[in-house]
Amino acid sequence: MKRLLCVALAAALVLCGCAADAWRAVEMREETVWAMDTVMDLKLWGKGAEEGIGQITAMLYALDEKWSVTRQESVLSRMNRGEDPALTPQDEDLLVRVEALSQRTGGAFNPWMHSVSAAWGFYGGNYRVPTQAQIDEALAQRQLDLGAALKGYAGQQAVELLEKLDMERGILTLGGNVQTYGEKPDGSPWNVGIQNPNGGVLGTLAVTGTASIVTSGSYQRYFEENGVRYHHILDPKTGYPADTGLTSVTVICRDGLTADALSTALFVMGLERGSDFWRESDDFEAVFLLTDGRIYATAGACLSGCEYEVISR
Ligand code: ADP
Ligand code: MG
């Protein structure tokens, strides 16, 4: 009996050893690229990782070229000049979905504020506080800017590419966005850190399978004038940086475009309106970091490593 047990144990150990070796032997490829004005880190495991990295990189460059606000010949710039560039069905679909997200958020996510961001000098870093007349004039213009949604959309496009390639798993860091894909072999969740604006990690989100984790924060792009800090997330109602007592909002959602648009929208809404918006929805979780340092997380967000209040339904 004892012997049988030993044999069984030995067999189990060999099996474990094989599994561990198989995991180690899995091909892993990592690549850092610069696109959409930010650093992107692509990490893929499994057969075809090389091909996956190549296809995702090409997709990121193509999206950047098409929807860049700074390239004069991008489709977006041409639309903003009143031209009528040819749009693919996929482009049309993106614009329809972006418009739907704007409606869903009551306009807190507004992709038509390019002129307002430009008035503040957020493109090119020529920062200035515009006059009220300049803000009013800019608000009256309808100029497309996908800055709050494109990286999330890119994450979603990457997932679709990886599914087609039948890839196993990967994790993509697209600026402040994280896109996970697939399950880890041991079934453990992906651990995604939320950045602490003062350095280090604020807390860690445990995410299972494919998801998009997107943070919008006032510390990401800003300038100071006469001791006042002006950041890049604008309240579409006023044309001024959203001032809702938040430092950042992180959204966890299956769909990347939705995650990105909602992180910006919730920042504009603030904690109370944002919590109500979550209660009316069923497709995302969120973590709010307040300017006084307090943290609030919706009931389904698996946050650890920090103290926080739970927002319940
Ligand atoms: P980041 O692009 O820094 O990751 P966001 O996703 O929150 O952060 O997007 C902010 C960008 O979106 C701004 O730089 C600007 O181009 C644009 N933007 C600013 N305010 C809004 C808004 N209320 N709705 C939609 N887009 C916005
Ligand atoms: Mg966003």
Side-chain angles (χ1 to χ4, degrees), residues 14 107 119 127 146 159 187 191 212 217 234 241 257 273 277 297:
V14 169
Y127 301 130
L146 295 179
V159 166
N191 291 314
S212 184
L234 304 175
L257 175 63
R273 265 179 68 205
F277 182 83

Side-chain angles (χ1 to χ4, degrees), residues 8 28 69 166 206 254:
M28 195 280 272
V69 280
D166 206 17
R254 286 287 293 187

Side-chain angles (χ1 to χ4, degrees), residues 17-47:
C18 286
D21 283 348
W23 159 230
R24 267 189 225 107
V26 168
E27 184 187 348
M28 195 280 272
R29 280 274 288 121
E30 186 171 11
E31 185 83 41
T32 303
V33 296
W34 176 266
M36 301 178 192
D37 214 16
T38 191
V39 178
M40 302 192 164
D41 186 68
L42 320 175
K43 210 170 182 176
L44 298 182
W45 287 266
K47 223 167 126 271

